[in-house]
Amino acid sequence: MPDKDPNNWELTFWAFLTGLGLAGGIIRYIEDYRKELKHNPNTPHKFTLVELLGKAFSSAFACIVIYFICKGLKIDDLVALGLSGVASYFGTESLGVVFQHFNKNNNNNDH
């Protein structure tokens, strides 16, 4: 059964991971937009497709980078996917937190 072979899942897996990241960014953008409208109904901030796509693609990037970091730390696949999904919701902010953590650890090792 070649369709059950995990070696054939590679493209499907990367499509899933990218889709997870895109979905996290879209959800975050819609939530932020709705929250802004709720707090200020006369807001000049308009819904824009370009901003939505920017948030979605930056979140997909964050999702993939966090997945690679997790795999580099030898974290289980399901945990890595879960962390990547959460990271996609927070977008590039999640990368800032991770890099601050690594930078702090490197500075502590220098002393």
Side-chain angles (χ1 to χ4, degrees):
M1 295 197 155
D3 61 333
K4 300 283 185 181
D5 183 10
N7 291 327
N8 294 336
W9 295 352
E10 196 163 329
L11 182 59
T12 305
F13 172 76
W14 290 110
F16 172 76
L17 186 63
T18 304
L20 181 69
L22 291 170
I26 291 169
I27 291 167
R28 177 68 186 259
Y29 179 79
I30 291 171
E31 283 184 357
D32 289 347
Y33 182 74
R34 292 178 80 189
K35 196 179 300 181
E36 178 69 27
L37 283 178
K38 185 178 180 180
H39 285 59
N40 186 7
N42 298 325
T43 184
H45 183 73
K46 302 280 187 211
F47 181 87
T48 62
L49 184 60
V50 172
E51 197 172 334
L52 173 70
L53 291 175
K55 179 73 99 173
F57 283 110
S58 65
S59 292
F61 174 74
C63 182
I64 292 168
V65 168
I66 295 297
Y67 181 78
F68 279 131
I69 290 172
C70 289
K71 293 311 293 175
L73 295 172
K74 298 190 181 359
I75 294 175
D76 182 62
D77 280 338
L78 291 177
V79 176
L81 281 171
L83 291 172
S84 298
V86 171
S88 73
Y89 176 77
F90 291 107
T92 54
E93 298 164 8
S94 61
L95 295 178
V97 171
V98 170
F99 292 134
Q100 280 179 344
H101 175 74
F102 283 126
N103 195 19
K104 183 174 79 172
N105 285 344
N106 285 340
N107 289 338
N108 289 340
N109 292 337
D110 291 341
H111 296 285

